[in-house]
Amino acid sequence: MAEVLVYVDHVDGAVRKPTLELLTLARRIGEPVAVALGSGAEATAATLAEHGAVKVLTADAPEFTDYLVVPKVDALQAAYDAVSPAAVLVPSSAEGKEIAARLAVRIESGIITDAIDLEAGDEGPVATQSVFAAAFTTKSRISKGTPVITVKPNSAPVEAAPAAGAVEALSVSFSAQATGTKVTARTPRESTGRPELTEAAIVVSGGRGVNGAENFAIIEALADSLGAAVGASRAAVDAGWYPHSNQVGQTGKSVSPQLYIASGISGAIQHRAGMQTSKTIVAINKDAEAPIFDLVDYGVVGDLFEVVPQLTDEVKSRKG
Ligand code: FAD
């Protein structure tokens, strides 16, 4: 069976959920071979094996921490040369997409970014993408070289599929380019204790209807009752009520959670572009004609200042 390289996103050995989702998709098209780099790379092996990795290629070097993405591209290319895979899968993070694009150029392959599903095809893997602000769903396949595909978080279930997960050291020689750009400082973001926006299973977003930075507390309270991440429309971000890192949409982040709750958001096409692939969409808006109601599964016509706190209380009371 053909091998499929899976680039591992991890923090000091703790594998992030989008990588486990990639393993589910990789098993549809071949045998997953994981590539884990940097501090804690070997510690990822047990988790990766539980989710189907037949092999885990690891490498650790100061270059992975001190420099930007090129050392990781060098390592992924070394893995590619060692394995000759049928496809290379990378999580669709900002870094993942840069790594994937650089690899595709080097190995002269086509690339598909932001896939939301993947299946085996007679002539290679077939990726599903949601395009033009989620107005269309396309299926495409790469016809040049080895397919390099990035996949959005929450696109596949995490499945237990025990495999050998044999750890092998990957030998990497870094290119001159690798040390061209150095990280000079890191500023850790203040932790809110909430899940990462693009990976969250539930997102609660607020828009202009929230009417002020201080009122986002009611959006946060609902999010916290559900264990959700907080999102915001551009109108709310431009007004300075919430950080740009939480903006959902064309010029913000793209999310695909199980549940997306939009409060005081009209549903402009640019906002839809970032959330329309959410599995279940709920909107709370006082205007029954708001375009957001065209795409919801459940809509509440009402004042968010009444509805959202009631919803929060209801969620809390059900949790006991
Ligand atoms: P509005 O459109 O003003 O809607 C506010 C809604 O709140 C209304 O429907 C109103 O009925 C409702 N409301 C008001 N008060 C209450 C209340 N008390 N209770 C319940 N409902 C209430 N937008 C994004 O979101 N993300 C992007 O990434 C993005 N990128 C863009 C890129 C470009 C190039 C351009 C041109 C625009 C972009 N926009 C983006 C902006 C987008 O076009 C809209 O302007 C924006 O999404 C509107 O935000 P909103 O829905 O919060 O505000």
Side-chain angles (χ1 to χ4, degrees), residues 207-209 233-235 247-252 264-268 270-271 284-287 290 302-305:
R208 201 192 310 267
S233 73
R234 177 159 160 182
Q247 183 179 315
V248 172
Q250 188 183 318
T251 43
I265 293 177
S266 60
Q270 296 89 353
H271 187 79
I284 301 156
N285 197 305
K286 66 181 184 185
D287 175 8
D303 186 336
L304 70 89
F305 294 101

Side-chain angles (χ1 to χ4, degrees), residues 105-126:
V105 170
R106 288 192 190 183
I107 65 175
E108 298 187 350
S109 283
I111 181 169
I112 292 174
T113 55
D114 289 336
I116 56 167
D117 201 6
L118 201 58
E119 62 204 67
D122 293 341
E123 295 170 86
V126 177

Side-chain angles (χ1 to χ4, degrees), residues 152-297:
K152 282 170 80 166
N154 294 318
S155 295
V158 172
E159 292 173 357
V167 178
E168 278 181 28
L170 181 66
S171 148
V172 186
S173 42
F174 294 107
S175 59
Q177 267 186 323
T179 51
T181 315
K182 196 173 186 343
V183 176
T184 55
R186 288 175 200 276
T187 313
R189 236 182 299 158
E190 218 172 280
S191 173
T192 58
R194 299 190 185 100
E196 214 282 311
L197 181 58
T198 57
E199 294 172 16
I202 306 177
V203 174
V204 180
S205 285
R208 201 192 310 267
V210 174
N211 199 26
E214 64 287 358
N215 297 337
F216 258 86
I218 67 166
I219 303 294
E220 291 178 336
L222 177 58
D224 292 342
S225 72
L226 292 163
V230 175
S233 73
R234 177 159 160 182
V237 170
D238 284 354
W241 302 340
Y242 226 67
H244 180 258
S245 54
N246 293 68
Q247 183 179 315
V248 172
Q250 188 183 318
T251 43
K253 288 189 175 149
S254 192
V255 300
S256 217
Q258 295 298 324
L259 173 62
Y260 187 87
I261 304 178
S263 310
I265 293 177
S266 60
I269 183 100
Q270 296 89 353
H271 187 79
R272 291 175 180 215
M275 47 65 77
Q276 198 160 351
T277 53
S278 304
K279 313 296 177 288
T280 300
I281 299 173
V282 176
I284 301 156
N285 197 305
K286 66 181 184 185
D287 175 8
E289 303 298 320
I292 190 89
F293 287 125
D294 295 343
L295 75 149
V296 298
D297 298 283

